[in-house]
Amino acid sequence: MSISGLHMVLAAGTFFWLVRALLALTPGLALLWPVKKIAAVAAMIGATIYCVFSGSDVATERSLIMTLVMFGAVLADRPALSIRNLSIAALIVLAREPEALLGPSFQMSFGAVAAMMALVPLMQRKPTEASPASLVERGLRWSGRAMLGLVTTTLVASIATAPFAAYHFQSLNPYGLIGNALALPLVSLVVMPAAVLGVLAYPFALDRPVWQVMGAAVEQVLEVSAWVEGFSGSTIVVPALSVGALLLLSLGLLAIAIPASSLRWLALVPAGAGLGFAAVPERYDVFIDRTGAGAAIRTDSGELALVGRPSDFVVEQWLRADGDARNVDDVSLRRDARCDRSGCVVIAADGRRIAFIRDYAAFDEDCRRAAVIITQLQAPPACRQPIIVDSEALKERGATTLRLGPDAVEVASVRRGREMMAWPGAQSIRVGQSQGSPVQGRPGPARPVPEQDFPEEEVSTDERD
């Protein structure tokens, strides 16, 4: 609901407002001194101190750079919020951390700000010329504009960051607008000002009531968060976006933010194409752990079936990437796998048999019947008919996924990228980006380990590793 960028802006804004308000109380200072620029310098110093004392992590440093550029524009008599200043901040961040471009923090923070700069002025209604007749009406008008601004900025930021959230975290929060509308006023008007006042009052032992007020506001924020989280569908798990869909949606965001004319509406073309790709996600049929400890296989029901003992974290990532909202301890994950002490067999969505082998004794039968074999062991040389992902293949490729086609298998791995290979028995095997050998049985003697038939409950993942 709130990230380091929000905290940085609120802290710097509180310093800026307090210093400017205090200086404006003295007519001589307000008329003769550049009060706004002095307040901007104070805000820059306060934001830097806040960054240091908060731990100076990567996200906070990026927020600090953007804040310093904004107040630097105030010192140079430039508009504080403009696409030019955002571009300068992005260049500084990327010059210091080029790898940040691929991270969700950079993409979501800069994407949200760029979208708000482009769309919020178009969505907000200009105030009328007539002034309210009474103080109450004036207060209601101000409250309405503040609420409209909060809803507008939250809506625009949520839409702008949704593609990056779907790509990196495979989740969407449709009720974030409600949570932000209820919680952000407390954070902006109570929590952050109380934090600054508490620090200032601490040397004089007057900070206790300030912390009490701040604590009460934080409790309300947490209650609002828990209430919104309890809504049905508060978190929607979606399949991971493809790189092409993310690039097209990012291009649409840039096209709507950079031009200052009606050319910005050309952004609808790449954005529409990106949404089209996102609506038809490319799901893999088999997910294989990097050590071969387990795998997830798509069945004819369209859901994943779990075999082996991969870690809960790995299973959670597989499920989220597939858009599956089940928990890692859901019993339905192992419902479609037929297992014994030697391994498991799953019927894939296309009807082929996929075998997960724990014991060398299972190779004889599964090499004749299965289309794909997954194992932590080294496959014997005689096992050549199926596609085999064994210990040597995993050592060479790392975590691996398979997409089963009628004539070929697409293999995507961490170390070798994407490869296309025909099913065994075809005239040739076509290897894609990487020119190494295909995932086939490797020559060499199999290790004679006849006593591999341990009960499943006695063999832990750590022991197999």
Side-chain angles (χ1 to χ4, degrees), residues 292-311:
I297 303 165
R298 191 176 311 283
T299 64
D300 55 0
S301 66
E303 295 184 331
L304 295 177
L306 193 63
V307 294
R309 287 188 175 182
S311 68

PDB file of all heavy atoms in Angstrom, residues 292-311:
ATOM      1  N   GLY A 292      16.441 -31.190  -9.870  1.00  0.00           N
ATOM      2  CA  GLY A 292      15.653 -32.366 -10.174  1.00  0.00           C
ATOM      3  C   GLY A 292      14.900 -32.921  -8.988  1.00  0.00           C
ATOM      4  O   GLY A 292      14.410 -34.055  -9.028  1.00  0.00           O
ATOM      5  N   ALA A 293      14.800 -32.145  -7.910  1.00  0.00           N
ATOM      6  CA  ALA A 293      14.112 -32.625  -6.713  1.00  0.00           C
ATOM      7  C   ALA A 293      12.621 -32.809  -6.948  1.00  0.00           C
ATOM      8  O   ALA A 293      11.965 -33.553  -6.219  1.00  0.00           O
ATOM      9  CB  ALA A 293      14.343 -31.662  -5.546  1.00  0.00           C
ATOM     10  N   GLY A 294      12.063 -32.151  -7.935  1.00  0.00           N
ATOM     11  CA  GLY A 294      10.640 -32.267  -8.197  1.00  0.00           C
ATOM     12  C   GLY A 294      10.278 -31.578  -9.492  1.00  0.00           C
ATOM     13  O   GLY A 294      11.108 -30.920 -10.132  1.00  0.00           O
ATOM     14  N   ALA A 295       9.017 -31.723  -9.872  1.00  0.00           N
ATOM     15  CA  ALA A 295       8.541 -31.118 -11.114  1.00  0.00           C
ATOM     16  C   ALA A 295       7.041 -30.896 -11.000  1.00  0.00           C
ATOM     17  O   ALA A 295       6.360 -31.491 -10.166  1.00  0.00           O
ATOM     18  CB  ALA A 295       8.858 -32.010 -12.317  1.00  0.00           C
ATOM     19  N   ALA A 296       6.543 -29.995 -11.844  1.00  0.00           N
ATOM     20  CA  ALA A 296       5.111 -29.740 -11.964  1.00  0.00           C
ATOM     21  C   ALA A 296       4.719 -29.976 -13.415  1.00  0.00           C
ATOM     22  O   ALA A 296       5.358 -29.441 -14.333  1.00  0.00           O
ATOM     23  CB  ALA A 296       4.765 -28.320 -11.538  1.00  0.00           C
ATOM     24  N   ILE A 297       3.698 -30.805 -13.632  1.00  0.00           N
ATOM     25  CA  ILE A 297       3.331 -31.255 -14.975  1.00  0.00           C
ATOM     26  C   ILE A 297       1.866 -30.928 -15.216  1.00  0.00           C
ATOM     27  O   ILE A 297       1.001 -31.222 -14.386  1.00  0.00           O
ATOM     28  CB  ILE A 297       3.564 -32.772 -15.105  1.00  0.00           C
ATOM     29  CG1 ILE A 297       5.029 -33.107 -14.775  1.00  0.00           C
ATOM     30  CG2 ILE A 297       3.200 -33.263 -16.502  1.00  0.00           C
ATOM     31  CD1 ILE A 297       5.283 -34.577 -14.532  1.00  0.00           C
ATOM     32  N   ARG A 298       1.570 -30.337 -16.388  1.00  0.00           N
ATOM     33  CA  ARG A 298       0.194 -29.996 -16.729  1.00  0.00           C
ATOM     34  C   ARG A 298      -0.551 -31.240 -17.198  1.00  0.00           C
ATOM     35  O   ARG A 298      -0.085 -31.967 -18.086  1.00  0.00           O
ATOM     36  CB  ARG A 298       0.163 -28.920 -17.814  1.00  0.00           C
ATOM     37  CG  ARG A 298      -1.237 -28.327 -18.030  1.00  0.00           C
ATOM     38  CD  ARG A 298      -1.202 -27.192 -19.037  1.00  0.00           C
ATOM     39  NE  ARG A 298      -0.161 -26.233 -18.735  1.00  0.00           N
ATOM     40  CZ  ARG A 298      -0.247 -25.319 -17.776  1.00  0.00           C
ATOM     41  NH1 ARG A 298      -1.338 -25.267 -17.025  1.00  0.00           N
ATOM     42  NH2 ARG A 298       0.727 -24.477 -17.547  1.00  0.00           N
ATOM     43  N   THR A 299      -1.714 -31.451 -16.622  1.00  0.00           N
ATOM     44  CA  THR A 299      -2.532 -32.606 -16.973  1.00  0.00           C
ATOM     45  C   THR A 299      -3.639 -32.205 -17.948  1.00  0.00           C
ATOM     46  O   THR A 299      -3.750 -31.043 -18.344  1.00  0.00           O
ATOM     47  CB  THR A 299      -3.142 -33.217 -15.702  1.00  0.00           C
ATOM     48  OG1 THR A 299      -4.040 -32.265 -15.109  1.00  0.00           O
ATOM     49  CG2 THR A 299      -2.051 -33.562 -14.693  1.00  0.00           C
ATOM     50  N   ASP A 300      -4.483 -33.190 -18.307  1.00  0.00           N
ATOM     51  CA  ASP A 300      -5.558 -32.890 -19.254  1.00  0.00           C
ATOM     52  C   ASP A 300      -6.606 -31.963 -18.667  1.00  0.00           C
ATOM     53  O   ASP A 300      -7.414 -31.382 -19.394  1.00  0.00           O
ATOM     54  CB  ASP A 300      -6.211 -34.182 -19.742  1.00  0.00           C
ATOM     55  CG  ASP A 300      -6.701 -35.042 -18.589  1.00  0.00           C
ATOM     56  OD1 ASP A 300      -6.543 -34.635 -17.424  1.00  0.00           O
ATOM     57  OD2 ASP A 300      -7.237 -36.139 -18.856  1.00  0.00           O
ATOM     58  N   SER A 301      -6.612 -31.778 -17.343  1.00  0.00           N
ATOM     59  CA  SER A 301      -7.536 -30.828 -16.719  1.00  0.00           C
ATOM     60  C   SER A 301      -7.068 -29.388 -16.861  1.00  0.00           C
ATOM     61  O   SER A 301      -7.810 -28.453 -16.526  1.00  0.00           O
ATOM     62  CB  SER A 301      -7.710 -31.165 -15.233  1.00  0.00           C
ATOM     63  OG  SER A 301      -6.490 -30.973 -14.526  1.00  0.00           O
ATOM     64  N   GLY A 302      -5.843 -29.184 -17.341  1.00  0.00           N
ATOM     65  CA  GLY A 302      -5.292 -27.845 -17.487  1.00  0.00           C
ATOM     66  C   GLY A 302      -4.540 -27.357 -16.263  1.00  0.00           C
ATOM     67  O   GLY A 302      -3.901 -26.311 -16.318  1.00  0.00           O
ATOM     68  N   GLU A 303      -4.587 -28.114 -15.152  1.00  0.00           N
ATOM     69  CA  GLU A 303      -3.893 -27.728 -13.930  1.00  0.00           C
ATOM     70  C   GLU A 303      -2.580 -28.480 -13.801  1.00  0.00           C
ATOM     71  O   GLU A 303      -2.352 -29.495 -14.469  1.00  0.00           O
ATOM     72  CB  GLU A 303      -4.776 -27.992 -12.711  1.00  0.00           C
ATOM     73  CG  GLU A 303      -6.033 -27.132 -12.670  1.00  0.00           C
ATOM     74  CD  GLU A 303      -6.818 -27.372 -11.395  1.00  0.00           C
ATOM     75  OE1 GLU A 303      -6.746 -28.496 -10.848  1.00  0.00           O
ATOM     76  OE2 GLU A 303      -7.519 -26.444 -10.945  1.00  0.00           O
ATOM     77  N   LEU A 304      -1.727 -27.985 -12.921  1.00  0.00           N
ATOM     78  CA  LEU A 304      -0.423 -28.602 -12.692  1.00  0.00           C
ATOM     79  C   LEU A 304      -0.541 -29.698 -11.637  1.00  0.00           C
ATOM     80  O   LEU A 304      -1.259 -29.548 -10.642  1.00  0.00           O
ATOM     81  CB  LEU A 304       0.592 -27.558 -12.241  1.00  0.00           C
ATOM     82  CG  LEU A 304       0.946 -26.470 -13.252  1.00  0.00           C
ATOM     83  CD1 LEU A 304       1.910 -25.459 -12.630  1.00  0.00           C
ATOM     84  CD2 LEU A 304       1.569 -27.074 -14.513  1.00  0.00           C
ATOM     85  N   ALA A 305       0.165 -30.805 -11.871  1.00  0.00           N
ATOM     86  CA  ALA A 305       0.279 -31.887 -10.901  1.00  0.00           C
ATOM     87  C   ALA A 305       1.721 -31.918 -10.406  1.00  0.00           C
ATOM     88  O   ALA A 305       2.669 -31.809 -11.205  1.00  0.00           O
ATOM     89  CB  ALA A 305      -0.098 -33.224 -11.522  1.00  0.00           C
ATOM     90  N   LEU A 306       1.897 -32.076  -9.124  1.00  0.00           N
ATOM     91  CA  LEU A 306       3.216 -31.989  -8.497  1.00  0.00           C
ATOM     92  C   LEU A 306       3.769 -33.379  -8.232  1.00  0.00           C
ATOM     93  O   LEU A 306       3.056 -34.265  -7.741  1.00  0.00           O
ATOM     94  CB  LEU A 306       3.114 -31.210  -7.185  1.00  0.00           C
ATOM     95  CG  LEU A 306       4.415 -30.755  -6.523  1.00  0.00           C
ATOM     96  CD1 LEU A 306       5.146 -29.773  -7.420  1.00  0.00           C
ATOM     97  CD2 LEU A 306       4.121 -30.127  -5.168  1.00  0.00           C
ATOM     98  N   VAL A 307       5.055 -33.572  -8.559  1.00  0.00           N
ATOM     99  CA  VAL A 307       5.761 -34.819  -8.250  1.00  0.00           C
ATOM    100  C   VAL A 307       7.080 -34.468  -7.585  1.00  0.00           C
ATOM    101  O   VAL A 307       7.634 -33.388  -7.795  1.00  0.00           O
ATOM    102  CB  VAL A 307       6.010 -35.665  -9.518  1.00  0.00           C
ATOM    103  CG1 VAL A 307       4.710 -36.148 -10.115  1.00  0.00           C
ATOM    104  CG2 VAL A 307       6.802 -34.872 -10.558  1.00  0.00           C
ATOM    105  N   GLY A 308       7.594 -35.395  -6.779  1.00  0.00           N
ATOM    106  CA  GLY A 308       8.855 -35.148  -6.086  1.00  0.00           C
ATOM    107  C   GLY A 308       8.662 -34.251  -4.880  1.00  0.00           C
ATOM    108  O   GLY A 308       7.552 -34.074  -4.367  1.00  0.00           O
ATOM    109  N   ARG A 309       9.768 -33.696  -4.427  1.00  0.00           N
ATOM    110  CA  ARG A 309       9.759 -32.833  -3.247  1.00  0.00           C
ATOM    111  C   ARG A 309      10.498 -31.522  -3.502  1.00  0.00           C
ATOM    112  O   ARG A 309      11.535 -31.247  -2.883  1.00  0.00           O
ATOM    113  CB  ARG A 309      10.395 -33.550  -2.063  1.00  0.00           C
ATOM    114  CG  ARG A 309       9.529 -34.650  -1.475  1.00  0.00           C
ATOM    115  CD  ARG A 309      10.136 -35.162  -0.206  1.00  0.00           C
ATOM    116  NE  ARG A 309       9.285 -36.135   0.447  1.00  0.00           N
ATOM    117  CZ  ARG A 309       9.579 -36.716   1.608  1.00  0.00           C
ATOM    118  NH1 ARG A 309      10.709 -36.398   2.224  1.00  0.00           N
ATOM    119  NH2 ARG A 309       8.759 -37.593   2.137  1.00  0.00           N
ATOM    120  N   PRO A 310      10.032 -30.702  -4.403  1.00  0.00           N
ATOM    121  CA  PRO A 310      10.642 -29.372  -4.539  1.00  0.00           C
ATOM    122  C   PRO A 310      10.296 -28.520  -3.332  1.00  0.00           C
ATOM    123  O   PRO A 310       9.339 -28.801  -2.599  1.00  0.00           O
ATOM    124  CB  PRO A 310       9.994 -28.818  -5.813  1.00  0.00           C
ATOM    125  CG  PRO A 310       8.674 -29.525  -5.880  1.00  0.00           C
ATOM    126  CD  PRO A 310       8.895 -30.899  -5.307  1.00  0.00           C
ATOM    127  N   SER A 311      11.064 -27.471  -3.108  1.00  0.00           N
ATOM    128  CA  SER A 311      10.809 -26.602  -1.970  1.00  0.00           C
ATOM    129  C   SER A 311       9.494 -25.849  -2.148  1.00  0.00           C
ATOM    130  O   SER A 311       9.013 -25.659  -3.270  1.00  0.00           O
ATOM    131  CB  SER A 311      11.958 -25.601  -1.791  1.00  0.00           C
ATOM    132  OG  SER A 311      11.985 -24.683  -2.874  1.00  0.00           O
TER     133      SER A 311
END
